[in-house]
Amino acid sequence: MGKSAALGSTAQAIEAAALRGPIPKGLTPLSEKILFNYATVAPMSRAAYEAARIFMADFYLYGPPEVLYQYDALADDMAAEAARLVNCAAEEITYLKNTTEGIITASEALPLQRDDEVLVLGNEYPANLLPWLRKRQDGVTVKVITGRDNEAAFLRLLESIGPQTKAISISSAQQYDGFMPALGLLSTMCRGLGIFLVVDAVQHVGARTIDLAKTPVDILVCGGQKYLRAGMGIGFMYVNRNVMPVLRDSKAGIRSVEHFDENSYVLKSTAARFQDGTQNVSGLAALHAALKETNAVGMDAIEQKNLELLAGIKDILREHNLDFIDHGAQQSNIVSIRTPDPAGLFGFLMERGIYIKAIQDVARLSFIHESRLEDVEVLARLTREFLDGGRS
C-alpha cells in the first residue's frame, strides 16, 4: 500500500470512529478499494450523505411536527432538480423507491388490453422484465426478444413491431454490456405508431446526457443508487404530461389525490399521482443533493469526461490483449470483458482490493467521471495475470 493510500486509510478510520465507532470486522474502508462496480451500487456521494445525515439529526434531535414541516417541500425541490437534469417540467417528475417500482407502476398504469402486445429484451435486468411477464396473467401478449447480443436483439425488436404492439419497455443503457440503443429512432417510431415507450434509465442518468424534450418517451424511471450516488431505496420517475390522461389508477393514497371523501377520490393531474403515503425523507434529501450536485457540475462536462475515460479504458484493455464487448459510440460507462471464468476473476480481483461484477459470461467493469485510468491499468494487469494462470 502506498503512502497516500495509507494516509487515506488512516483518515477513513478516524472518520469512521467519529461517526459510529471502530470499523466493524470484515468491512474494508472505501479508501482501500478500487471500485469498478458503479453499475450495481455506487458509494454515496459526500453531498448525498451530508443531506441525509442532517435530516436524520434534525429528526432525532427536534422531531415532528416542525422538522416535517421544514422538509415538506423537499419532494418538489427534488423534482425541480431532476427535471433540470433530463429537461422536462417539474410536474412530470415524482419520487419512487427504486427502478423496479417504476416499471411495476408503468405496467399497471398503461391502458393495455387483452391481446395487446408488449416488446421487451430478454437480456434486461429483471426490473424491466418480470413486471411485464406478469401482464400475461391479464391476457397481454409479452414478446421477449432473446439473445445476449444486445445490438442484434435491438434490431430484432424494431423488426418485431407490428399492429398489435402497444408498448415497448427498454433500458437506454444495457446492464450486461453498456449497449445504448438508438433511443431517438425508437422514440420517433413509437410516436408515429402510437406505441407507449417506457425507459429504464438507471444505467444512463448521471453518466450520459438525456434530453426528454428532444427524445420524447412516455415513462422514464431511474434509481438513485448508481451514477447519481444518492444511496439505496430512492429514485425518480418521469411521466409525460401528454400521456397522463389515459393512465389507469394504479395507486390511490393520501399523497396521490387532490381530494377525497368516503365515497370517491380525485387523483392529482401531475406525476405526483403516483405517490402514496409516508415519504422516505432521508432518501429524498440524499437524492435532491445528488441531483443538485450533478447539475452544478453539468452533464455536458460529466459526459465528456466519461467518454474520455471510456476511450482510455478500451485502449488499456487492448494493450493487455483483453477481449471485451465494444459498442463504439453506443456505449455507456460499462465495459464487459469476455472470460471463461467471470466469478473466478471477480474473486481474484476482490482479494486484491479491486471490485467488479461477474455477470453471466462476462466480467463487467463500470466507472464514473471521477474514476482513474491508473486504476484501470492495475485492473488490466491483474486480469491478464489471472487469465495467464497466476491465480494464487
Side-chain angles (χ1 to χ4, degrees):
M1 183 186 298
K3 183 177 180 181
S4 60
L7 289 174
S9 177
T10 301
Q12 189 86 6
I14 293 172
E15 183 175 29
L19 291 173
R20 67 179 307 277
I23 298 175
K25 185 178 180 180
L27 298 185
T28 303
L30 277 172
S31 58
E32 297 179 12
K33 295 178 178 178
I34 297 177
L35 292 176
F36 286 108
N37 197 16
Y38 291 90
T40 303
V41 176
M44 288 181 79
S45 69
R46 185 75 192 197
Y49 164 71
E50 287 292 344
R53 184 190 63 80
I54 289 170
F55 165 74
M56 295 297 286
D58 286 348
F59 193 65
Y60 177 72
L61 292 171
Y62 308 110
E66 293 86 357
V67 168
L68 297 182
Y69 298 154
Q70 286 189 348
Y71 284 87
D72 196 47
L74 192 55
D76 292 338
D77 295 341
M78 183 282 297
E81 291 293 341
R84 179 183 169 194
L85 184 63
V86 299
N87 196 17
C88 67
E91 68 179 25
E92 296 175 299
I93 298 286
T94 190
Y95 57 84
L96 42 70
K97 180 174 61 179
N98 50 43
T99 304
T100 302
E101 183 185 32
I103 299 297
I104 290 172
T105 299
S107 71
E108 293 176 346
L110 290 180
L112 299 173
Q113 307 294 328
R114 178 174 291 276
D115 296 327
D116 284 349
E117 182 181 74
V118 178
L119 300 182
V120 295
L121 295 180
N123 203 28
E124 290 276 6
Y125 190 74
N128 200 26
L129 179 62
L130 295 177
W132 299 110
L133 295 181
R134 194 202 65 79
K135 294 299 293 180
R136 289 173 172 169
Q137 300 175 20
D138 302 328
V140 174
T141 300
V142 180
K143 182 178 290 187
V144 181
I145 313 300
T146 59
R148 289 182 182 172
D149 183 338
N150 283 318
E151 190 168 359
F154 175 65
L155 294 176
R156 291 200 301 274
L157 182 144
L158 296 180
E159 295 168 353
S160 298
I161 296 174
Q164 294 301 113
T165 305
K166 297 297 186 270
I168 295 173
S169 187
I170 194 168
S171 293
S172 53
Q174 290 293 325
Q175 55 96 26
Y176 171 71
D177 57 4
F179 172 67
M180 301 186 74
L183 193 60
L185 171 63
L186 186 58
S187 171
T188 299
M189 292 181 67
C190 288
R191 297 302 99 179
L193 297 171
I195 296 171
F196 294 110
L197 179 56
V198 178
V199 174
D200 174 350
V202 74
Q203 300 288 4
H204 185 153
V205 173
R208 298 287 186 278
T209 301
I210 186 165
D211 188 333
L212 293 176
K214 293 180 180 179
T215 308
V217 307
D218 294 298
I219 296 174
L220 178 143
V221 299
C222 177
Q225 78 277 21
K226 301 186 190 296
Y227 304 101
L228 292 175
R229 295 182 289 165
M232 298 185 292
I234 193 68
F236 71 87
M237 177 170 69
Y238 159 84
V239 184
N240 191 315
R241 68 179 74 178
N242 296 321
V243 78
M244 196 77 69
V246 304
L247 297 180
R248 291 172 174 163
D249 297 4
S250 65
K251 283 189 176 181
I254 187 63
R255 292 187 177 274
S256 58
V257 298
E258 290 285 359
H259 56 81
F260 70 98
D261 57 31
E262 62 270 24
N263 296 311
S264 63
Y265 59 87
V266 175
L267 288 172
K268 294 177 179 178
S269 59
T270 66
R273 68 180 283 186
F274 296 106
Q275 298 175 16
D276 40 41
T278 302
Q279 296 174 324
N280 174 9
V281 183
S282 59
L284 278 171
L287 180 58
H288 172 251
L291 289 164
K292 189 174 181 179
E293 182 177 51
T294 300
N295 284 327
V297 176
M299 272 310 305
D300 287 345
I302 291 173
E303 179 175 75
Q304 182 58 39
K305 181 61 177 176
N306 282 333
L307 290 172
E308 292 171 2
L309 284 168
L310 179 63
I313 289 169
K314 291 179 179 180
D315 286 343
I316 290 170
L317 297 182
R318 291 189 187 101
E319 289 170 4
H320 288 82
N321 295 315
L322 297 175
D323 183 22
F324 62 92
I325 301 174
D326 188 356
H327 290 295
Q330 290 180 272
Q331 193 157 355
S332 67
N333 284 23
I334 291 173
V335 182
S336 292
I337 300 171
R338 297 184 180 95
T339 171
D341 187 9
L345 177 58
F346 166 82
F348 180 82
L349 292 176
M350 187 171 68
E351 289 174 356
R352 290 153 180 81
I354 301 176
Y355 294 76
I356 60 167
K357 175 74 171 180
I359 176 170
Q360 298 176 16
D361 56 351
V362 297
R364 185 186 73 183
L365 68 94
S366 49
F367 62 95
I368 59 170
H369 62 285
E370 296 176 354
S371 297
R372 307 185 311 167
L373 287 179
E374 49 262 48
D375 291 333
V376 180
E377 285 278 5
V378 176
L379 181 150
R381 176 177 55 79
L382 289 172
T383 299
R384 185 72 266 162
E385 179 183 335
F386 172 83
L387 295 175
D388 290 342
R391 306 185 184 195
S392 59

